[in-house]
Amino acid sequence: MSLNKALVSRRFAPRITEKRWNHSIERNIFDSWQMEGIYAFKPRKDNRPFVIDTPPPYPSGTWHIGAVAQYTQIDMIARTARMLGNQVLFPIGIDRNGLPVEIYTENLYNIKLRDTPREKFIDLCKVALDDLEDKMVAIMKRVGLSGEYESKYRTDEAEYRKLTQSTFIELWNNGLVYEATRPNNYCYECGTTIADAEVQYEERLTRLVYVKFKVKETNEPLIIATTRPELICACQLVIVNPSDERYVSLHGKHAVLPIYDREVCIKPHTSAMPDFGTGVVMICSYGDYTDVLLFRELGLLEIAATGQDGRLTEAAGPYRGLKIAEARTRIIQDLEAQNLIVKMESINHRTPVCSRSGTPIEIISMKEYYLKQIEFLPKLRQLAKKMAFHPPANRQILLDWLNSVAIDWPISRRRVYATEIPVWYCKRCSATFVPPAGKYYRPWRDSAPIQECHHCGAVEFEGDTRTFDTWMDSSVSALFITKYGRDPKFFKLSYPATIRPQGKDIVRTWLHYSILRCYQLTKKPPFTHAWIGGMGMDEQGQAMHKSKGNVIDPEPIIEKFGADSFRFWNASEATHGSDFRCSEARIESAHKFLTKLWNISRFISSFPQVRRARLQAADRWILSEVSALIEQSLAGYKEFNFFTPASAIRDFVWETFASHYMEMVKPRAYGQSFSKSQQEAAWYTLHMVLRNVLLLLAPVTPFLVDHIWRQLYSKESIHLQKFPKPSWSKRHRRFTERLITFNREVWRVKEEKKLALRDQLEMKIPKVLAPFRDDLTKMHSLIIRPSTQN
Ligand SMILES: [Zn+2]
Ligand SMILES: [Zn+2]
């Protein structure tokens, strides 16, 4: 080091002493935020707070990296709203109802729900959930979620379940709930009815069996192709397409079922597709939704072939008691033995499966409670059209779903770890009793809240043992966080909530049910903005599944690169609403940007801060770029699309500020042959740009910016500041292209001549860049000939 350099470095020692951004201090920074209470929600009497209807996550083991990413973006919404001047309610809730924890508990303790006393099973579920929840909350804190941990809510706590039950009772009293026996989606793995919204379709390989029936009148064989030969016993009709000329002669005749030797009518119906199988279709209760529609349309008598245990019933004759798959194998064997199978094909069949267990859905008739939704569809469409969607295109997902809803919502489930249905029945006359709202009821355990049956005078009652579909709970989260029924003043001030952030995978469940339920109860939508995020995919853009082996555990990556790298990766990975790719390499590249920002901050921290300065052309130029950056970033923030600010800031810091401005003013900042006032202008500008960049990045990378902010600018956290304003004229941006082009040209020529960057070079500065002459000359060690200076 030359003597000169040594003097410079002693005089300009960086105030940021750590050489690298040590992200292991993120934990301490989070703790200090908690201690200072800087995110505490302090509602003002007169002012509507900014209320986020945070999705309560379901603790069920390893948290999906895409979900963790989504929660960090929800945190960015909260931080953005605060920096825009709002009082922000960012609740932290945990969804703890439903099937996954039951299965988890069964596996954990190696027990079976059906063989364990209900009370004991519920206690074990709670213990398992507490453990999973702790891990989940630790991750929330690790990635910097600035929510209300002190008032964390759980959907299985008495207060919450009371709300679910009270709202059910309210809707019951308003005549919006009814009980009916109807064919319903049934998952025998989960042992419960499930709603259409929870049915997924998967292409599954299955056998299409061509079975020989007989035409009664002519004794001719009639070949019917079916994927469900075990349901032949439940066949009540055979149809052919009216336009199918091959079968016109069959209209009005009868088919004789093989094995069972029973007769059913053959009718023309447009539901038969001539090009599927042989074009002849058996209609049975119930192979698919077409069967359901035809049974209803033609008033056919249902034959219940499948029981709730997933085994065939009496109706199946020799196959009674067999599981569906076994029964299918057996009947195929028997049909083959009797020479009644013409051929079998392997086909890819679009199979409805349970979204929780992946089991193929059976359609069986059961008595269930339904919440009316069909009559609300026109209103829901209206509300969907009025609601602000981010991005706007995702409104269509909801509208498409609303257009396909065909039945009311079955809300009762045969499970145990969920909110109980608060209904009792008279043991003598079966009359139904719904208690008054305002308490948490457990009818399977508690005695009835009435003394005597109003209808028959009997005194013995039986509680319903079923529970609600867990969407009945989560669909009122907006009511819970705004204290519906608990604090009328606060409710009035804070409902509807401001924004519902969620993934697009649960539009037809959580979003739809929330709007339906909250509208039924309040005549208002639950929130004014719906923010619908894309899904986290693997490096190749494929969904992550345990079975594919492409699941990424976020925790080790966050440990390795820090929460801010994870957050910056997520914000800059894809525009809001698109699916985004997750990989360690992508997060590592975000980490590189933070390292760059750290180095820049450390360099700037070497220089004193001055209050005002006489700006030079280069200073005015970069500040005009900062104005543009602020405008662009704020436009993105106001849309809650963090891709816009994150990518704009990265490009500015890396491409414009560091590569051009900082290189240009280094000599001036160090005071090499510049006046004191020129030097101070460089100091002033460097700090001004850094301050603004830190403020603009605060919602995205809250740890690093607060750490730098407090070392350089204020003891008060950056997270108590507002966004900066674009206060500099953007006129000087007209130089941007010219400056960048000129610098690149100099670097190109030096490289061509094999000169080092600091080597002298003779080169002409274009006239238009004359105001920058001193900075550019020093920056590139240019030799300016007197003749070129005019
Ligand atoms: Zn299931
Ligand atoms: Zn009675």
Side-chain angles (χ1 to χ4, degrees):
M1 196 185 276
S2 69
L3 180 65
N4 201 10
K5 265 200 172 163
L7 280 173
V8 164
S9 64
R10 196 171 313 147
R11 176 153 177 230
F12 297 107
R15 275 174 63 197
I16 297 176
T17 49
E18 310 108 290
K19 289 220 165 96
R20 294 180 150 271
W21 166 232
N22 167 18
H23 59 252
S24 67
I25 64 169
E26 286 173 344
R27 276 204 175 82
N28 305 344
I29 294 174
F30 188 86
D31 290 344
S32 67
W33 291 337
Q34 293 293 100
M35 253 153 52
E36 294 166 27
I38 58 173
Y39 305 119
F41 171 58
K42 301 179 200 87
R44 290 184 292 240
K45 267 190 211 140
D46 41 341
N47 235 331
R48 282 187 75 76
F50 186 101
V51 179
I52 302 173
D53 187 12
T54 321
Y58 197 98
S60 58
T62 310
W63 212 1
H64 191 289
I65 186 170
V68 179
Q70 190 176 74
Y71 279 87
T72 63
Q73 292 228 358
I74 296 171
D75 179 61
M76 292 177 207
I77 294 177
R79 293 175 181 277
T80 297
R82 286 190 205 104
M83 291 190 80
L84 289 167
N86 298 287
Q87 278 302 312
V88 175
L89 175 58
F90 178 15
I92 299 287
I94 307 286
D95 189 10
R96 308 192 358 147
N97 286 316
L99 178 73
V101 70
E102 293 181 4
I103 295 174
Y104 181 84
T105 305
E106 284 185 324
N107 293 337
L108 187 66
Y109 297 101
N110 198 19
I111 50 171
K112 280 277 159 223
L113 161 65
R114 308 287 165 204
D115 314 331
T116 314
R118 187 163 178 163
E119 188 110 45
K120 178 160 185 225
F121 191 80
I122 287 175
D123 286 344
L124 290 175
C125 286
K126 266 203 187 102
V127 174
L129 278 166
D130 286 349
D131 188 36
L132 291 169
E133 178 185 308
D134 286 348
K135 289 183 189 142
M136 190 167 231
V137 171
I139 298 178
M140 289 178 170
K141 292 183 172 174
R142 184 63 192 86
V143 295
L145 260 56
S146 57
E148 298 281 307
Y149 295 93
E150 251 97 277
S151 53
K152 179 178 71 189
Y153 72 85
R154 296 162 163 167
T155 59
D156 65 343
E157 68 194 21
E159 194 67 29
Y160 201 105
R161 286 187 170 170
K162 184 179 91 182
L163 175 70
T164 303
Q165 291 184 338
S166 299
T167 55
F168 166 81
I169 293 165
E170 207 176 324
L171 297 177
W172 174 282
N173 293 337
N174 291 334
L176 297 182
V177 179
Y178 63 91
E179 199 176 23
T181 304
R182 283 188 185 165
N184 232 315
N185 307 305
Y186 187 81
C187 171
Y188 54 83
E189 187 64 44
C190 303
T192 187
T193 302
I194 60 174
D196 284 352
E198 287 179 294
V199 175
Q200 279 175 359
Y201 287 87
E202 282 180 11
E203 292 286 329
R204 293 210 175 166
L205 207 60
T206 186
R207 278 186 295 182
L208 182 63
V209 189
Y210 288 72
V211 184
K212 235 186 243 176
F213 287 50
K214 224 166 46 186
V215 181
K216 180 192 151 200
E217 285 78 1
T218 62
N219 227 8
E220 285 168 347
L222 177 65
I223 313 302
I224 297 182
T226 177
T227 58
R228 304 292 309 266
E230 74 280 11
L231 290 182
I232 289 176
C233 61
C235 177
Q236 287 287 48
L237 180 71
V238 166
I239 58 168
V240 293
N241 195 289
S243 67
D244 194 338
E245 289 172 5
R246 294 173 293 175
Y247 302 119
V248 176
S249 67
L250 292 179
H251 298 181
K253 294 204 167 71
H254 294 81
V256 181
L257 311 179
I259 309 270
Y260 300 94
D261 220 23
R262 184 162 56 80
E263 292 169 21
V264 300
C265 293
I266 305 174
K267 283 187 181 169
H269 197 282
T270 48
S271 299
M273 286 184 297
D275 51 0
F276 180 79
T278 58
V280 187
V281 183
M282 68 168 192
I283 301 299
C284 40
S285 51
Y286 293 100
D288 58 23
Y289 298 112
T290 311
D291 291 345
V292 175
L293 293 177
L294 280 172
F295 266 76
R296 201 176 294 162
E297 180 187 322
L298 303 172
L300 301 173
L301 188 69
E302 180 186 295
I303 297 174
T306 333
Q308 291 178 30
D309 52 1
R311 293 173 187 272
L312 295 196
T313 63
E314 298 278 330
Y319 311 105
R320 176 178 61 124
L322 294 182
K323 287 188 172 169
I324 292 159
E326 290 168 1
R328 189 174 305 164
T329 313
R330 283 276 302 279
I331 196 169
I332 289 174
Q333 283 167 0
D334 292 351
L335 289 167
E336 269 181 322
Q338 298 178 36
N339 225 355
L340 292 174
I341 293 189
V342 179
K343 62 169 174 173
M344 283 195 270
E345 290 171 349
S346 270
I347 58 161
N348 255 325
H349 188 58
R350 195 168 167 266
T351 312
V353 300
C354 167
S355 64
R356 301 220 191 256
S357 65
T359 315
I361 295 297
E362 291 299 320
I363 302 171
I364 65 179
S365 275
M366 297 188 78
K367 203 173 185 189
E368 303 289 1
Y369 281 112
Y370 286 82
L371 179 62
K372 290 185 183 173
Q373 61 176 353
I374 299 295
E375 64 194 68
F376 289 92
L377 291 173
K379 187 69 205 178
L380 297 181
R381 278 186 206 106
Q382 240 178 51
L383 294 176
K385 282 173 187 162
K386 261 200 223 152
M387 194 173 278
F389 272 75
H390 306 265
N394 280 354
R395 181 195 323 270
Q396 199 55 41
I397 307 176
L398 178 61
L399 289 174
D400 288 347
W401 171 245
L402 291 175
N403 287 335
S404 72
V405 171
I407 60 163
D408 287 331
W409 174 16
I411 52 173
S412 40
R413 296 287 181 274
R414 288 145 215 277
R415 302 302 311 178
V416 302
Y417 203 83
T419 301
E420 293 84 351
I421 299 181
V423 176
W424 276 264
Y425 308 93
C426 170
K427 272 192 179 171
R428 191 196 292 163
C429 78
S430 304
T432 305
F433 293 95
V434 174
K439 240 188 91 183
Y440 170 39
Y441 297 101
R442 271 160 288 193
W444 58 272
R445 200 191 76 170
D446 303 346
S447 52
I450 37 159
Q451 307 301 320
E452 188 182 300
C453 173
H454 308 315
H455 301 272
C456 74
V459 292
E460 283 194 78
F461 300 89
E462 195 166 21
D464 198 314
T465 56
R466 288 171 296 174
T467 59
F468 286 118
D469 177 354
T470 59
W471 295 113
M472 279 289 280
D473 301 277
S474 44
S475 56
V476 290
S477 58
L479 298 179
F480 188 81
I481 59 172
T482 54
K483 304 187 178 173
Y484 175 74
R486 283 181 291 156
D487 182 343
K489 259 192 194 155
F490 183 74
F491 180 71
K492 193 161 181 256
L493 193 65
S494 55
Y495 184 89
T498 314
I499 192 165
R500 154 63 69 83
Q502 64 161 73
K504 65 181 179 194
D505 55 328
I506 49 173
V507 166
R508 60 188 202 167
T509 46
W510 197 35
L511 184 62
H512 164 60
Y513 291 143
S514 298
I515 301 174
L516 171 74
R517 292 257 280 136
C518 294
Y519 176 75
Q520 287 175 336
L521 291 156
T522 68
K523 296 283 167 282
K524 282 182 191 168
F527 27 78
T528 37
H529 296 257
W531 182 95
I532 314 290
M535 311 307 294
M537 301 294 176
D538 76 358
E539 180 82 81
Q540 274 72 43
Q542 303 287 315
M544 287 181 230
H545 280 299
K546 268 193 195 131
S547 59
K548 282 195 207 159
N550 61 352
V551 173
I552 302 172
D553 182 356
E555 283 192 84
I557 301 187
I558 293 166
E559 280 323 306
K560 190 163 171 191
F561 298 109
D564 272 350
S565 298
F566 183 83
R567 295 172 64 110
F568 189 80
W569 153 71
N570 188 237
S572 58
E573 181 62 31
T575 193
H576 171 56
S578 314
D579 292 344
F580 51 93
R581 297 184 179 198
C582 313
S583 76
E584 187 170 327
R586 285 161 196 269
I587 295 164
E588 186 173 11
S589 118
H591 183 68
K592 284 186 186 137
F593 170 67
L594 296 191
T595 302
K596 179 82 182 172
L597 182 64
W598 180 265
N599 293 340
I600 288 170
S601 307
R602 191 163 179 267
F603 166 74
I604 295 174
S605 80
S606 320
F607 302 107
Q609 293 172 48
V610 288
R611 278 165 174 266
R612 57 180 74 82
R614 292 186 54 178
L615 298 182
Q616 305 291 297
D619 309 329
R620 279 194 288 269
W621 162 67
I622 197 67
L623 290 172
S624 75
E625 280 295 329
V626 170
S627 273
L629 176 70
I630 293 172
E631 280 180 13
Q632 199 185 347
S633 303
L634 289 185
Y637 277 125
K638 284 173 184 165
E639 283 293 317
F640 306 110
N641 183 357
F642 308 107
F643 176 74
T644 307
S647 37
I649 295 165
R650 181 189 51 206
D651 291 350
F652 169 81
V653 167
W654 214 309
E655 309 298 336
T656 312
F657 182 57
S659 303
H660 295 277
Y661 179 77
M662 278 174 48
E663 290 306 320
M664 223 190 280
V665 301
K666 252 181 207 168
R668 177 146 62 89
Y670 282 127
Q672 293 160 356
S673 53
F674 283 91
S675 72
K676 184 79 186 158
S677 128
Q678 287 172 318
Q679 184 183 28
E680 284 183 358
W683 295 347
Y684 174 89
T685 310
L686 285 167
H687 279 290
M688 192 52 83
V689 175
L690 180 60
R691 283 181 86 107
N692 279 281
V693 165
L694 295 177
L695 285 165
L696 286 178
L697 265 178
V700 179
T701 56
F703 294 99
L704 179 136
V705 298
D706 202 29
H707 186 64
I708 297 174
W709 180 266
R710 293 201 197 204
Q711 285 200 51
L712 297 185
Y713 300 126
S714 163
K715 285 214 171 64
E716 189 185 73
S717 170
I718 195 168
H719 302 303
L720 295 169
Q721 318 301 317
K722 291 201 177 138
F723 278 125
K725 291 195 169 63
S727 24
W728 301 278
S729 157
K730 287 190 292 173
R731 258 184 318 136
H732 304 280
R733 293 185 76 208
R734 66 182 190 276
F735 295 114
T736 304
E737 268 317 303
R738 304 299 292 260
L739 279 168
I740 289 175
T741 311
F742 177 74
N743 287 339
R744 284 192 181 143
E745 177 63 10
V746 176
W747 290 326
R748 191 190 61 76
V749 171
K750 282 195 173 177
E751 202 187 327
E752 211 174 78
K753 297 190 172 180
K754 302 207 163 27
L755 294 173
L757 284 178
R758 61 175 187 283
D759 287 344
Q760 292 198 322
L761 178 72
E762 208 180 295
M763 195 143 166
K764 218 171 162 180
I765 291 175
K767 221 173 186 176
V768 64
L769 296 181
F772 301 86
R773 197 191 58 201
D774 290 355
D775 282 334
L776 289 173
T777 308
K778 272 282 169 198
M779 170 189 188
H780 296 298
S781 309
L782 298 180
I783 303 167
I784 314 270
R785 292 265 161 113
S787 59
T788 64
Q789 287 188 19
N790 298 323

